[in-house]
């Protein structure tokens, strides 16, 4: 049973370059989340989608960040232009809004981004 | 002030020891509470939900004190495999879907 899939697992890029992170949620899940984790700030929610529609992007740090979900099985998080302070681990998570465990989120393995 | 506060540790304990972590949260409207576990360089995974009456899952016991806005996790008979970071999680939101708010975690190291 495949979990949340993220690619790439590691990304090293130079300041000013565009970075695209990809996520495939668990089949049947109707919520998708993008998080960023740093030592200083911990795990922060950037944006989440419900049925492919962005619901809350208040955590997106600035206009350099954008996220899309063109269909139920794919989402991207794009940073353009990237800056060294964007270096972090980016997690994608998905969940199903069933009655029993609506809040359980399943995380992907993360993308470790380094911007030099 | 952070919405969820945890002692970062690390807590260094020998195998077989009992260890307890605490967490405080600032939003009195939070409705659901969880402990997640995160291994080094891995993704967070749900360890257990926390209920007002307290709940147990094997060697793990979680308790919630809504009046003091305080959550705890007790691990009995620590195993080497318990070494990880434990994230305290609360929900934020009034109606409908509630977002998860994570603490920065407490690191546990269990030694032989």
């Amino acid at each position: 049973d495949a979990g949340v899939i993220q690619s790439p697992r590691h990304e090293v890029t130079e300041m000013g370059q565009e970075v695209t992170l990809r996520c495939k949620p668990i089949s049947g899940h109707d919520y998708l989340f993008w998080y960023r984790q740093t030592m200083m700030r911990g795990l922060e929610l950037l944006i989440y989608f419900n049925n492919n529609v962005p619901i809350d992007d208040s955590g997106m740090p600035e206009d350099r960040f954008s996220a899309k979900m063109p269909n139920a099985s794919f989402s991207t998080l794009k940073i353009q232009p990237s800056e060294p302070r964007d270096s972090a681990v980016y997690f994608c998570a998905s969940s199903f809004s069933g009655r029993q465990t609506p809040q359980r989120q399943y995380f992907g393995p993360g993308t470790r981004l380094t911007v030099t | 002030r952070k919405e969820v506060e945890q002692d970062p540790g690390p807590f260094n304990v020998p195998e077989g020891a009992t260890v307890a972590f605490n967490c405080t949260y600032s939003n009195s409207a939070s409705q659901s509470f969880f402990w997640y576990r995160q291994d080094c360089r891995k993704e967070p995974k749900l360890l257990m939900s926390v209920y007002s009456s307290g709940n147990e899952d094997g060697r793990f016991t979680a308790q919630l004190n809504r009046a003091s806005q305080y959550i705890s996790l007790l691990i009995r008979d620590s195993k080497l495999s318990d070494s990880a970071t434990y994230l305290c999680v609360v929900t934020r939101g009034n109606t409908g879907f509630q977002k998860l708010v994570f603490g920065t975690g407490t690191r546990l190291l269990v030694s032989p």
Side-chain angles (χ1 to χ4, degrees):
Chain A
D1 190 16
V4 176
I5 298 171
Q6 290 187 247
S7 65
R9 295 292 306 276
H10 300 272
E11 178 79 37
V12 180
T13 190
E14 292 184 349
M15 183 174 63
Q17 296 298 307
E18 178 179 294
V19 175
T20 299
L21 311 181
R22 297 173 176 80
C23 175
K24 176 179 169 57
I26 293 172
S27 177
H29 282 190
D30 54 350
Y31 280 88
L32 183 139
F33 310 86
W34 281 101
Y35 289 89
R36 178 173 67 177
Q37 187 174 37
T38 60
M39 289 292 292
M40 290 300 297
R41 300 173 67 90
L43 202 60
E44 300 175 289
L45 177 65
L46 301 177
I47 184 172
Y48 76 91
F49 296 81
N50 178 219
N51 292 322
N52 315 337
V53 176
I55 302 300
D56 184 347
D57 65 354
S58 59
M60 296 285 259
E62 46 197 277
D63 291 346
R64 297 185 297 107
F65 286 69
S66 62
K68 294 182 180 179
M69 192 165 185
N71 57 62
S73 59
F74 184 66
S75 177
T76 59
L77 177 68
K78 187 176 292 186
I79 308 172
Q80 166 63 19
S82 58
E83 296 183 2
R85 60 192 168 123
D86 300 331
S87 298
V89 181
Y90 291 81
F91 287 103
C92 176
S94 69
S95 69
F96 173 62
S97 58
R99 289 184 61 186
Q100 290 189 344
T101 55
Q103 302 293 348
R104 179 164 189 172
Q105 296 182 16
Y106 296 81
F107 284 76
T111 295
R112 187 169 296 272
L113 174 65
T114 302
V115 183
T116 60
Chain B
R1 182 188 173 191
K2 291 180 181 176
E3 192 164 346
V4 180
E5 299 259 18
Q6 293 184 254
D7 181 342
F11 284 59
N12 290 285
V13 302
E15 268 187 296
T18 295
V19 61
F21 308 136
N22 302 321
C23 161
T24 58
Y25 61 96
S26 61
N27 186 350
S28 59
S30 294
Q31 296 183 12
S32 300
F33 308 88
F34 310 90
W35 284 100
Y36 273 68
R37 171 194 167 128
Q38 186 172 23
D39 292 301
C40 187
R41 303 181 81 85
K42 299 285 189 180
E43 70 273 21
K45 292 182 179 178
L46 179 65
L47 177 66
M48 61 194 300
S49 301
V50 186
Y51 303 116
S52 297
S53 55
N55 50 296
E56 201 173 290
D57 183 0
R59 297 180 293 107
F60 299 82
T61 300
Q63 295 205 316
L64 167 65
N65 184 321
R66 286 186 184 269
S68 302
Q69 296 180 198
Y70 169 99
I71 305 163
S72 66
L73 177 68
L74 182 78
I75 306 175
R76 291 182 300 278
D77 188 22
S78 299
K79 312 291 185 189
L80 294 176
S81 57
D82 294 334
S83 297
T85 296
Y86 291 84
L87 305 172
C88 177
V89 185
V90 308
T91 56
R92 181 204 297 161
N94 295 322
T95 59
F97 184 80
Q98 295 209 329
K99 296 189 284 190
L100 299 184
V101 181
F102 287 78
T104 51
T106 297
R107 192 170 172 212
L108 172 65
L109 298 172
V110 182
S111 54

